[in-house]
């Protein structure tokens, strides 16, 4: 059993693209759910629509890279408005239903045969990431140290992506200590009280939905560029719930909660997978109990178990405040 | 507490209402709020059907009535939290029909809630800050540049601390609002409403769930609002409180206004007694009572007969 491989792979994954786009998606969800109390169960819809905006912009419309990015962001804003206008006046549950449905609608429309010429149907899109890598100032070779060694393209993506995470986190820190953020947090507690104090609650919920959706869009760009392809079936509801898991793991309504949560969640996934594979290869786990084809399933079971234990022993997440959570019980 | 029953505001209020005839829908000399034909129906049930109501400026008006009379629904309609099926109402001369709740509050009519809505996970101070209107930092882009709003925030903090001092909550300013007792939350809610700088305060059952020790202080605060020139309309079940602080009482029953008048006379009004106790409240409840009443009636008849025979 090669512990070196296990730890190398685990450490490498902590800052790789998977953790990066999950972090961006979770940062957006933190604005929606953590600060404003909006139940957005369709965050992946923002990832998908932005990724397709980029992909379709470059490959079908023939737009330059930045124009395609702008198209993706604009589509994410449009999606937020479309979701918000009919539902934000209603009770929170309506947004939950509409978001989960719309994210599936986006995926199913994109993979439909009728859209094959535009979105590539079920086989998706490729050949749109070149514009991003053309901007890469790094020369060919490998960069990084220790377990974190990446080729020039991956390193460029991670550099840009994590910079966005840092800038986004600073922005959220600034916003949430301002009067604007105070209104969002107050809406989470009781929107009628906020209304009675003369604040336009629907307007603020809309701003929150758009801002969180834009972080989802950034996650969508990273996801698409890292794979150099857009596969519609990668944008299923599972990704939304992974982002929720990462957010709750790190602690909701904490600036760094979703970032740390994503890194730990992905690290745990990769660690368990590598450990199980190594243990099977070294015959520590005999074939009669499980084989290497079952690693994915067992890994999911173990992560689920870990999350249950977390909810029991540390329900506030890593950065959360237990005193704050206890207020709910009153 | 500067307010007591002989204060200037109280006597002014009494003088203003002295010549007003105590009947439902009576016009007032200086109304701040006028409602006309406001009706709200839930399917077949008519919850509120107010033909005409005027609320006098600068006085404390109590809105009383038995459970289910439509008091809270009427409150919701007036403050924009619910929309009536028909009717018009205006505040300080401007029509409030179809105006959303937050704009009603900005016009100066601020309400509190029957079930207190303290924002639990915000500090007491943040609860107060939220009440201030026209904050520059409430705009998304300006929020990102602290230099724009920190100066204003300092002024807001001063005002908030002053109010918290008056409501004896200044020691709690950094605690989560969720850690306050029920009575303290009521105080916080009232103080927070005052941060909006309202001209009219609508209190929905301010005394519900408050322990007797705090009741007096809350009463003082309500009187204080009148002292500062604000108009108060409140819903309450506690008759002692109503008698103690209100200048005018409006009685609702089954969605309609059945009586209006000064507190002492309105509580003797037959329509009010009927509304609370039922129209046949003096009907006998037990056999003994019935027999006693019958005996009394017979004695009266006999006495009459005897008189005639003479």
């Amino acid at each position: 059993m090669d512990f070196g491989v296990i730890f190398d792979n685990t450490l490498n994954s902590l800052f790789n693209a998977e953790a990066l786009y999950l972090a961006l998606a979770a940062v957006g969800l933190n604005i929606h759910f953590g600060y404003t109390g909006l139940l957005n169960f369709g965050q992946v819809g923002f990832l998908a629509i932005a990724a397709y905006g980029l992909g379709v912009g470059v490959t079908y419309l023939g737009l330059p890279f930045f124009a395609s990015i702008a198209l993706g962001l604009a589509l994410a804003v449009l999606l937020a408005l479309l979701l918000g206008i009919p539902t934000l006046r209603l009770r929170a549950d309506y947004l939950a239903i509409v978001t989960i449905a719309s994210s599936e609608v986006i995926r199913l429309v994109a993979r439909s045969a009728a859209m094959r010429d535009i979105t590539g149907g079920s086989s998706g899109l490729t050949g749109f990431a070149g514009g991003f890598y053309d901007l890469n100032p790094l020369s060919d070779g490998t960069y990084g140290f220790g377990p974190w060694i990446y080729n020039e393209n991956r390193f460029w993506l991670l550099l840009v992506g994590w910079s966005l995470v840092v800038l986004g986190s600073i922005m959220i820190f600034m916003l949430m200590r301002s009067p604007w953020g105070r209104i969002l947090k107050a809406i989470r507690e009781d929107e009628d009280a906020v209304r009675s104090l003369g604040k336009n609650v629907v307007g603020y919920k809309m701003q929150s939905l758009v801002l969180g959706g834009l972080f989802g869009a950034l996650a969508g760009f990273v996801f698409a560029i890292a794979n150099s392809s857009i596969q519609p079936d990668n944008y299923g509801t599972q990704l939304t719930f992974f982002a929720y898991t990462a957010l709750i793991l790190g602690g909701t309504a904490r600036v760094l909660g979703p970032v740390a949560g994503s890194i730990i969640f992905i690290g745990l996934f990769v660690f368990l997978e590598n450990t199980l594979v190594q243990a099977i290869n070294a015959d520590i786990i005999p074939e009669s109990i499980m084989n290497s084809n079952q690693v994915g399933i067992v890994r999911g079971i173990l992560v689920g178990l870990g999350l249950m234990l977390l909810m029991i022993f540390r329900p506030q997440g890593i950065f959360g405040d237990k005193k704050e959570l206890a207020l709910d019980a009153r | 507490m500067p307010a007591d029953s002989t204060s200037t505001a109280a006597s002014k209020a009494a003088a203003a209402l002295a010549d007003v005839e105590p009947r439902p829908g009576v016009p007032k000399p200086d109304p701040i709020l006028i409602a006309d034909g406001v009706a709200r129906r839930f399917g077949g049930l008519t919850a509120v059907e107010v033909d005409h109501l005027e609320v006098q400026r600068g006085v404390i008006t109590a809105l009383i009535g038995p459970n289910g009379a439509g008091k809270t629904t009427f409150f919701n309609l007036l403050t924009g939290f619910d929309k009536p099926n028909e009717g018009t109402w205006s505040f300080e001369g401007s029509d409030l029909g179809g105006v959303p709740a937050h704009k009603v509050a900005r016009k100066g009519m601020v309400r509190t809630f029957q079930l207190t809505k303290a924002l639990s996970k915000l500090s007491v101070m943040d609860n107060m800050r939220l009440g201030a209107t026209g904050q520059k930092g409430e705009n998304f882009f300006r929020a990102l540049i602290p230099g724009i709003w920190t100066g204003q925030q300092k002024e807001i903090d001063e005002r908030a601390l002053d109010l918290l001092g008056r409501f004896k909550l200044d020691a709690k300013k950094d605690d989560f609002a969720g850690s306050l007792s029920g009575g303290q939350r009521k105080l916080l809610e009232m103080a927070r409403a005052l941060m909006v700088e309202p001209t009219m305060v609508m209190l929905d059952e301010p005394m519900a769930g408050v322990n007797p020790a705090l009741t007096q202080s809350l009463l003082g605060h309500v009187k204080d609002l009148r002292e500062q020139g604000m108009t108060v309309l409140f819903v309450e079940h506690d008759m002692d409180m109503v008698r103690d602080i209100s200048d005018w009482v409006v009685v609702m029953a089954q969605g309609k206004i059945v009586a209006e008048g000064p507190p002492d006379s309105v509580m003797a009004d037959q329509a009010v007694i009927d509304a609370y106790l039922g129209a046949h409240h003096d009907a006998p409840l037990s056999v003994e009572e019935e027999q006693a009443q019958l005996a009394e009636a017979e004695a009266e008849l006999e006495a009459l007969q005897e008189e005639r025979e003479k």
Side-chain angles (χ1 to χ4, degrees):
Chain A
M1 194 160 158
D2 190 342
F3 287 102
V5 172
I6 294 175
F7 285 111
D8 261 8
N9 285 346
T10 303
L11 291 173
N12 184 276
S13 73
L14 296 183
F15 301 103
N16 213 333
E18 233 181 336
L20 172 57
Y21 67 72
L22 193 65
L24 282 166
V27 166
L29 266 189
N30 195 26
I31 297 170
H32 292 156
F33 175 71
Y35 288 110
T36 325
L38 298 174
L39 276 176
N40 170 16
F41 282 143
Q43 181 70 341
V44 71
F46 288 104
L47 273 74
I49 204 158
Y52 273 105
L54 169 65
V56 171
V58 171
T59 59
Y60 182 76
L61 302 174
L63 297 173
F65 175 73
F66 278 113
S68 303
I69 289 282
L71 176 66
L73 293 173
L75 285 173
V77 172
L78 191 70
L79 176 64
L81 295 176
L82 276 177
L83 293 174
I85 288 168
T87 57
L88 289 182
R89 285 169 202 283
L90 306 172
R91 265 199 346 246
D93 355 8
Y94 292 93
L95 182 70
I97 297 165
V98 169
T99 47
I100 198 167
S102 69
S103 71
E104 280 296 273
V105 167
I106 291 165
R107 182 176 70 85
L108 292 170
V109 167
R111 81 190 296 284
S112 65
M115 295 285 283
R116 179 168 290 277
D117 291 341
I118 302 170
T119 62
S122 56
S123 50
L125 286 174
T126 51
F128 54 84
F132 178 77
Y133 292 122
D134 287 345
L135 296 167
N136 191 349
L138 305 168
S139 50
D140 291 4
T142 57
Y143 294 86
F145 61 94
W148 297 289
I149 291 177
Y150 308 98
N151 70 23
E152 75 284 353
N153 278 348
R154 180 50 58 94
F155 195 82
W156 169 233
L157 176 68
L158 296 179
L159 194 68
V160 172
W162 287 110
S163 305
L164 288 173
V165 171
V166 170
L167 289 175
S169 296
I170 292 171
M171 184 174 97
I172 289 167
F173 173 77
M174 301 279 281
L175 282 172
M176 292 309 160
R177 57 196 280 277
S178 77
W180 187 84
R182 188 159 63 224
I183 293 178
L184 292 200
K185 287 183 268 184
I187 289 172
R188 175 190 68 200
E189 298 301 310
D190 193 316
E191 58 176 81
D192 275 346
V194 181
R195 210 168 263 139
S196 79
L197 296 171
K199 317 292 178 199
N200 181 1
V201 169
V202 176
Y204 282 98
K205 288 207 284 192
M206 188 62 91
Q207 291 175 38
S208 163
L209 196 62
V210 170
L211 183 64
L214 285 174
F215 277 99
L218 295 180
F221 296 145
V222 171
F223 192 13
I225 291 170
N227 295 333
S228 289
S229 77
I230 301 167
Q231 298 295 327
D233 291 329
N234 284 344
Y235 296 89
T237 48
Q238 169 177 287
L239 195 54
T240 301
F241 293 106
F242 278 2
Y244 262 103
T245 309
L247 172 61
I248 292 165
L249 181 68
T252 54
R254 289 288 178 274
V255 173
L256 292 178
V259 181
S262 302
I263 292 172
I264 294 166
F265 181 69
I266 293 295
L268 194 67
F269 242 87
V270 173
F271 174 77
L272 283 171
E273 179 169 344
N274 278 279
T275 310
L276 288 170
V277 168
Q278 291 286 332
I280 288 166
N281 289 347
D283 278 335
I284 295 171
I285 300 176
E287 193 81 4
S288 57
I289 293 177
M290 64 176 284
N291 60 40
S292 53
N293 294 330
Q294 293 160 337
V295 164
I297 300 163
V298 174
R299 180 190 63 170
I301 293 170
L302 290 175
V303 169
L305 186 71
L307 290 170
M308 279 191 243
L309 292 173
L310 177 86
M311 284 295 99
I312 292 166
F313 293 107
R314 201 172 165 83
Q316 72 273 36
I318 292 160
F319 288 108
D321 180 351
K322 196 154 199 179
K323 268 190 288 179
E324 207 170 298
L325 203 74
L327 291 172
D328 284 338
R330 284 173 73 99
Chain B
M1 222 68 46
D4 60 66
S5 52
T6 58
S7 71
T8 51
S11 50
K12 238 192 254 170
L17 292 166
D19 299 330
V20 178
E21 187 190 345
R23 64 174 167 84
V26 67
K28 309 285 187 315
D30 182 16
I32 187 169
L33 179 72
I34 304 170
D36 250 315
V38 174
R40 178 72 171 104
R41 296 183 192 89
F42 298 106
L45 176 85
T46 303
V48 169
E49 200 169 13
V50 170
D51 292 334
H52 189 76
L53 175 69
E54 293 184 7
V55 177
Q56 170 74 7
R57 186 189 308 273
V59 310
I60 301 179
T61 304
L63 184 61
I64 64 170
N67 287 326
K71 304 179 297 284
T72 297
T73 310
F74 189 46
F75 244 56
N76 288 344
L77 294 174
L78 292 178
T79 50
F81 278 81
D82 193 5
K83 286 192 170 55
N85 298 81
E86 56 199 60
T88 56
W89 65 108
S90 64
F91 175 69
E92 296 208 278
S94 69
D95 184 31
L96 284 188
V99 176
H102 70 272
K103 288 197 178 144
V104 174
R106 281 185 208 165
K107 281 175 189 281
M109 186 158 90
V110 176
R111 70 169 299 181
T112 65
F113 294 88
Q114 186 174 349
L115 299 168
T116 342
K117 295 186 184 296
L119 305 161
S120 302
K121 287 183 200 166
L122 264 58
S123 71
V124 168
M125 197 62 186
D126 270 346
N127 265 270
M128 295 294 287
R129 285 174 181 147
L130 192 71
T133 48
Q135 295 187 50
K136 292 177 193 144
E138 287 180 354
N139 173 289
F140 175 82
F141 296 104
R142 286 198 291 249
L144 286 166
I145 307 161
I148 294 180
W149 50 266
T150 40
Q152 192 188 24
Q153 177 108 321
K154 275 195 193 111
E155 288 165 28
I156 290 167
D157 284 2
E158 271 172 38
R159 208 149 60 79
L161 279 174
D162 182 48
L163 271 170
L164 284 177
R166 264 166 54 196
F167 283 81
K168 304 233 168 19
L169 286 170
D170 41 352
K172 297 261 180 194
K173 71 183 174 72
D174 297 320
D175 293 8
F176 282 127
S179 68
L180 298 181
S181 74
Q184 286 170 329
R185 288 184 202 199
K186 287 268 178 198
L187 287 172
L188 174 61
E189 202 181 13
M190 204 186 284
R192 192 176 65 193
L194 294 184
M195 285 297 289
V196 188
E197 299 184 310
T199 45
M200 180 167 181
V201 184
M202 317 271 282
L203 306 170
D204 197 352
E205 299 204 17
M207 294 298 154
V210 175
N211 77 44
L214 261 178
T215 309
Q216 278 310 315
S217 118
L218 256 171
L219 281 178
H221 288 303
V222 176
K223 287 182 192 169
D224 212 24
L225 300 181
R226 176 181 59 191
E227 217 61 33
Q228 290 167 25
M230 282 176 240
T231 309
V232 180
L233 178 67
F234 73 102
V235 170
E236 191 48 67
H237 281 297
D238 183 337
M239 286 305 155
D240 287 332
M241 172 184 171
V242 171
R243 196 173 287 129
D244 183 3
I245 67 167
S246 53
D247 304 306
W248 193 259
V249 178
V250 176
V251 188
M252 275 182 88
Q254 290 168 342
K256 294 189 170 66
I257 288 172
V258 295
E260 267 191 60
D264 292 321
S265 68
V266 88
M267 284 179 196
D269 191 307
Q270 192 58 40
V272 178
I273 296 167
D274 287 353
Y276 270 92
L277 302 172
H280 301 288
H281 67 91
D282 48 0
L285 289 174
S286 66
V287 180
E288 290 83 32
E289 220 176 297
E290 192 178 356
Q291 280 170 345
Q293 274 187 13
L294 277 175
E296 209 177 297
E298 269 171 38
E300 261 174 57
L301 277 175
E302 270 170 35
L304 273 176
Q305 245 171 355
E306 271 170 34
E307 238 170 79
R308 259 186 223 160
E309 277 165 17
K310 272 179 197 170

